[in-house]
Amino acid sequence: MSEKSVFETVTGELDFPSEEAKIAAFWKANDIFARTLSADSRATGPSKGPFVFYEGPPTANGMPHNGHALTRSIKDVVPRYKTMCGYDVPRKAGWDTHGLPVEVEVEKDLGIHGKAEIEAYGIKPFVQKCIESVFRYTEAWERNTELIGYWLDTENAYVTYHQSYIESVWWALSELHKKGLLYRGHKVCWWWPQGGTALSAAEVGWNYKSVEDPSAFVAFELEGEPGTHLCVWTTTPWTLPSNGYAAVRGGLDYVVCDWKDGKKLIVAAALREGLAKKLGLELTVLVSLKGRDLVGRRYVPCMDTFGALRDAKADLKEGGAAPLYWRVLDADFVTLDAGTGIVHIAPAFGEDDNNAHKLELRRYREPDEVPLLCAVGPDGKMTAEAGAFEGLWIKDADPKILADLDARGLLVFSEKYRHDYPYCWRADEDPLMQLARPAWYIRTTDRIGDAIANNQAVTWLPEHIKDGRFGDFLRNNVDWALSRERYWGTPLNVWVCEGCGAEHAPASVAEIEQRNPHAFDAFRAARAADPSLNEHLIVHKPWIDEVTLPCEACQGTMRRVTEVIDCWFDSGCMPFAQLGFPHKEGSQAEFSQRWPADFISEAIDQTRGWFYSLLMISTLVFDEATCERLGLGKRSYPHPYKACVVLGHVGDREGKKESKSKGNYTPPDIILERVRIEFAPVSPDDPAVQKLLRGKPVEAGAVYAAREDYEGLDLTGDEAHVMMYRGDRHDDARPMTLKALKGLPRRVLVMAPEDAASLSVKPNAQGLAVKVVDVPRLPQNERVFVEDPTRPAPGADAFRWFFYASSPPWTNTRHSLSNVRLLQKDFLIKLRNVYSFFVIYANIDGFDPAKVTANPMAQRSILDRWIASEVALTVREVKKHLDGFGIYEASQRIVDVVDALSNWYVRRSRSRFWAPAGDATLAADKLDATTTLYESLVTLSKLIAPFVPFFAEGLYQNLVRRAWPDAPQSVHLVAYPDADESLIDESLAAEMRAVRELVSLGLQVRSDNRLRVRQPLGRADVVVSDRALAASLASYGPLIAEELNVHEVRWLEPGQEAGAVHYRLKPNFRALGPRIGKKVQALKQALERADAARLHAELSREGKVVVDVEGEGIDLSGEELDIAVVASEGFAAAGGRTGVVVLHTELTPELRDEGLARDVLAKVQQKRKDLGLAFTDKLALTIYGSERIMRVVEAARSTIAEEALCASLVVAPLTDAPATAAIFAIEAEELALDGTKA
RNA sequence: GGGCCAGUAGCUCAGUUGGUUAGAGCGCACGCCUGAUAAGCGUGAGGUCGGCAGUUCAAAUCUGCCCUGGCCCA
């Protein structure tokens, strides 16, 4: 049969990771990725030009996790697809290297914290440490990149701390400065007074405490209306000296009420009663008014702190002047939840307060001239402005201020109030305070209309981001607080003259040197003395702080402001900074080509991060005039990205956020490499463990882990056989039995002392208290791996596929080993089985696609044409979806076609593949089948290449490259398949769908009636609802007959089968609803009662029927009625949408004999298997049996001999059987088999 | 407290221009098949579509309120 094997046998073993490793090595050795970047080295035809993708830089300071696996899977599939479609898709890697997290890590390493300690340590060595620590996880990242098959140009990665990158960022800032969009203001942040540093939002969240603070109601007397007071509420009396405004909400109702001694109070109407109760007063309402009636009114400050400013005014933009402070404002953050509906505003404290103040400032011509009211120092003590309170710690000032107000009759009421308040997470006793710090801003609100217009042009996936989360953020935009009072970041490139205050924002080192040729002498000298000094530090603190410039206006000295900038600004500059634009030679042409991006994608948390910084910077920097000036031509929105796929988060199997400290995450390696988890061994003698064991002994060879860890390894049942080894002794693995113990924390393992001894590990001293995060950092002899050796890890393709096929990428994903395996089975393993099936038979027949030619498709069998059509349809659909970034939808189509291939095409075609070689007709048909399957698999290998690049490559190498060694070297170098429209046959597809449903119905009938498929039946009657379809299905009779194992299929009309089937008529609601409205329900009832057969006959005769509904005749066309056939009760029948299948169930002796023959054949096949025969081995067989067996076997002799590849077949009475032969019973008959390899 | 997203079978998820038998896979039960074989396949049970109201001839789908979870913001 076989001359030689063209294809390499597909191994039975499912070890995807090791196969993937081989593919990865192949790519590396042959430089495949680099070759996909240019049309010259691809086989995809002439270049279609660039398809621009931007890599959002991950921070190199942390480890890659499952969320990154998601983003990287998505970010990889699109460029791979576009590359195969003929586009050039450069993918420059990038690293986000600045920011507080880096500083915090270094602080941890150095065992210091706080700015004071950093400065004591020295900023130079500190920054040096920062730059060194940035890439501490590079190895892990590169490994992740390679393992997951994320193709990225890592060699030429952009790095945000590089000089060229920083100079690009400087250029952008310099542009903004020239446009007047950069200004100095104040930013309210959470401030740690004792430490003298601001805390990030995340840090603030780490330590909220429930505390008691004063709750005070204070009277602000209205100007020009002595005795009438606004009643305001505050829990921070220490901010009252810095009061600037009172805020109401314009739309709310307020009342003026009688307070005491003829004085009046104004409060929100809804809160009057509550206040009256507190005060024990009536607070009789005198006048009602709206909040907006109060807006603009001035009041007397309750403290005289900034008395000098009482009458100060500032010029308004629209002319005239307005007093600065102590006015009533309208603010929408005013609520009726607590207080009085009138809010005390201290612009220096509280973000709402400061924003309200900033809104006021916008009215002035010179907003920067307006001083900020602040009577508290950064040390948390009252300043000289606070007069008598000077030097008091804020909390100590509270009671004194209240007493002062009380003495002056301005304290309406005070009490204690319990609420949550943030404390410093490093110094538990220190409360934080909100404090306005001097800060640099970008005036984004000035150009917010442009940003909104830009956003409107972006294609967002999912769509709701555009007007939802992102649109909202833009609509509520506040100016971008750019500066950070830190050390490790891009230095803000603004130099200010000591003399005249002039500002200059140079765009590069060269520009600085032009003004001051000696600017960098100090750094260069330092570097000459110490060559280990990183060259890029030339543009960093503290060296850059030493650079001065001469002032062009007054010849004074200009010094740089001390701040660094928000690292979101760094990453937002990436479209041009990655190219060193505009400074770098040639960057202009390159940028022009690579801007804007066609596609970016990151997780949803980037909405206010990278998505925002990209869009905002691009909007501000690249306005029309600037584009023109830079020679970029006219560019319309959107930029810098046209489409953005917003990804969801990856959660654990319960949908909870994966967290390292909780340990509820699936380590990526468990998917990508080996099914194992690291544990800390603990002793069963630990009292805490004893409690959980409840007297259960821990025997040698048995270990206990948390149920979550047990399930995390995808183990089922009560116990599992696993291998265990010490962290550094993989070769010394011991078999153990793992059990789950309820209540055990994650990542600890209870083991008997003798097991611990045999593994040379020692129980953890902390016992159950050991922290999950610390387990991987324990000494080697305190760590053990538990590995499930029975099933290899699913691998990278499976991991990737999980993200594509489990749900649309913007929904949150529940991730676990078992979920990944589930989807893998559904697609990769199924496809691999088909592939393996193909290789087995192709090799048996010596099939070589390069040397033989099958019939043209039009002449091949219906199954061949069908699957070819399905594949072509799939190609068409997949491309359509991918063009719109519909990755999930595309993957579903792929799953469907693989199912069609495996579950129908191969299943229905199996016998064709083992047709004997002698028969010319059958041989030709076999060649058709083999070729069709081959072509399908080759197309699929290309179709799935962007999704599962490793497996696709394996397919391609074996199927294509072995037959055509000159073919393009990799599947990733070839063109993405085009749907061959000539192969698409939509009606064939519909027919086959119907056939599959009819078969399903037939099998349902067999199942319902306990008629096994092996027992042939005489006849199946099929009634199809749709007449047109019925006619075209006739030719599928033999196929259905074979699948249902019946002798004959008859296509019937209802009525022909003695009541087994009848019609049911229903209104077509979609069609009739609009026409007859309410009456459809009555019509439905009428149709149920009517004689369906008569109506149906009338409809086919006349083309319409008239039905009487509530005394009114309604004309109905065929279109307006749904006609279904249904199976009647009491028949061996089943019905669905397509039609009804009725089986004739009576068994004649002949049919019984046929069934018996099939049973015998099954036993023979089992015998072949028992003998270990290969698919092509011949069998010498003797069948011993009863008289009936002998008769039946004789009758089926040729079938049995052929099906079971018998070289000889002897039939003999059972009495002749050798004594050793096993006797089988089928029904009442007995037989024995004797066979050997022929 | 606000915004956005989600809630559909035991589990993981599809499904909306509103249209009358709400789908798939896994798991489970029963069974088939035995030349893809430590594979393959079928059938079935299982759903008040988170709850309550409303709009409509008709609601998983539209509207309002509420509950639960996630994310972002405060």
Side-chain angles (χ1 to χ4, degrees), chain A residues 87 184 288 339 341 475 511 583 745 905 939 954:
Chain A
Y87 294 91
R184 249 199 267 224
S288 291
R475 278 190 292 279
E511 192 182 329
H583 307 303
Y905 180 76
T939 303

Side-chain angles (χ1 to χ4, degrees), chain A residues 1007-1023:
Chain A
S1007 189
D1008 288 348
N1009 294 278
R1010 306 250 154 210
L1011 296 164
R1012 54 208 184 99
V1013 178
R1014 196 147 51 190
Q1015 174 61 58
L1017 295 175
R1019 209 173 96 202
D1021 291 333
V1022 179
V1023 192

Side-chain angles (χ1 to χ4, degrees), chain A residues 1168-1230:
Chain A
R1168 283 184 62 95
K1169 205 175 149 193
D1170 294 344
L1171 289 170
L1173 299 189
F1175 299 144
T1176 49
D1177 288 340
K1178 300 272 186 183
L1179 176 68
L1181 178 69
T1182 309
I1183 299 178
Y1184 305 95
S1186 64
E1187 200 180 319
R1188 185 171 162 222
I1189 295 272
M1190 288 171 67
R1191 178 168 48 79
V1192 164
V1193 169
E1194 276 305 340
R1197 165 179 283 279
S1198 65
T1199 314
I1200 291 173
E1202 206 172 277
E1203 294 275 317
L1205 291 184
C1206 297
S1208 62
L1209 173 55
V1210 179
V1211 182
L1214 190 61
T1215 45
D1216 292 359
T1220 53
I1223 309 279
F1224 304 104
I1226 302 173
E1227 295 176 19
E1229 311 296 331
E1230 290 189 325

Side-chain angles (χ1 to χ4, degrees), chain A residues 71-84:
Chain A
T71 49
R72 303 182 123 214
S73 297
I74 301 294
K75 290 198 290 188
D76 191 56
V77 70
V78 173
R80 280 184 188 266
Y81 167 65
K82 288 291 175 181
T83 298
M84 291 177 77

Side-chain angles (χ1 to χ4, degrees), chain A residues 465-788:
Chain A
I465 301 287
K466 179 191 283 186
D467 292 313
R469 197 173 278 214
F470 197 77
D472 277 341
F473 186 54
L474 291 183
R475 278 190 292 279
N476 300 319
N477 188 253
V478 293
D479 284 345
W480 184 344
L482 181 71
S483 58
R484 297 285 181 272
E485 297 179 85
R486 300 297 315 183
Y487 308 97
W488 178 238
T490 298
L492 179 58
N493 53 326
V494 176
W495 271 256
V496 180
C497 178
E498 288 177 335
C500 66
E503 288 174 11
H504 178 59
S508 65
V509 166
E511 192 182 329
I512 291 170
E513 284 185 314
Q514 222 168 20
R515 274 218 191 185
N516 173 9
H518 300 291
F520 297 100
D521 285 358
F523 179 80
R524 297 220 163 89
R527 199 149 181 262
D530 175 12
S532 75
L533 195 62
N534 191 306
E535 58 177 323
H536 298 290
L537 289 175
I538 188 170
V539 287
H540 278 92
K541 272 173 90 72
W543 291 275
I544 194 72
D545 295 332
E546 293 165 20
V547 171
T548 60
L549 298 174
C551 177
E552 286 183 341
C554 73
Q555 307 310 314
T557 304
M558 303 184 94
R559 293 192 187 281
R560 196 189 73 85
V561 301
T562 56
E563 291 97 333
V564 296
I565 64 164
D566 181 3
C567 50
W568 286 114
F569 194 89
D570 286 351
S571 57
C573 289
M574 159 273 156
F576 48 94
Q578 66 168 339
L579 307 172
F581 177 88
H583 307 303
K584 200 171 153 198
E585 181 113 10
S587 63
Q588 182 149 334
E590 215 176 345
F591 178 61
S592 180
Q593 281 258 308
R594 292 213 217 160
W595 183 79
D598 291 290
F599 163 74
I600 64 167
S601 179
E602 299 291 339
I604 188 156
D605 52 283
Q606 296 297 329
T607 313
R608 283 149 192 258
W610 197 52
F611 299 155
Y612 175 70
S613 65
L614 278 177
L615 184 118
M616 190 50 89
I617 291 170
S618 204
T619 305
L620 297 181
V621 172
F622 297 100
D623 56 48
E624 271 184 42
T626 308
C627 284
E628 206 112 333
R629 174 164 52 83
L630 294 169
L632 293 166
K634 275 223 179 299
R635 299 281 184 145
S636 55
Y637 293 143
H639 60 74
Y641 47 87
K642 296 183 192 168
C644 180
V645 176
V646 184
L647 308 177
H649 280 119
V650 181
D652 69 0
R653 58 201 305 150
E654 266 118 47
K656 298 250 165 60
K657 188 178 168 169
E658 289 195 324
S659 140
K660 262 191 199 163
S661 54
K662 284 189 199 137
N664 67 328
Y665 67 100
T666 303
D669 286 355
I670 212 175
I671 308 289
L672 293 170
E673 290 189 277
R674 298 172 74 157
V675 182
R676 60 177 190 181
I677 300 185
E678 215 166 358
F679 287 88
V682 299
S683 162
D685 302 330
D686 187 311
V689 178
Q690 280 293 320
K691 213 170 158 190
L692 292 172
L693 285 167
R694 287 199 216 134
K696 225 182 301 174
V698 174
E699 286 151 20
V703 291
Y704 290 89
R707 161 81 32 201
E708 292 88 347
D709 286 333
Y710 189 86
E711 285 172 354
L713 283 160
D714 201 13
L715 300 171
T716 50
D718 295 330
E719 53 178 60
H721 298 290
V722 297
M723 298 302 282
M724 284 183 46
Y725 44 85
R726 207 171 102 165
D728 54 345
R729 296 189 181 176
H730 297 198
D731 302 333
D732 190 18
R734 306 288 165 90
M736 298 266 181
T737 303
L738 181 69
K739 301 180 188 180
L741 180 61
K742 217 178 151 188
L744 211 57
R746 292 181 204 241
R747 304 295 195 269
V748 301
L749 203 60
V750 179
M751 60 165 66
E754 51 267 55
D755 287 332
S758 89
L759 290 166
S760 315
V761 295
K762 76 171 214 230
N764 191 281
Q766 294 178 49
L768 300 188
V770 66
K771 288 210 183 92
V772 169
V773 273
D774 293 331
V775 172
R777 300 198 199 114
L778 293 172
Q780 289 289 8
N781 67 352
E782 288 183 38
R783 279 189 279 160
V784 282
F785 276 105
V786 170
E787 179 161 355
D788 173 9

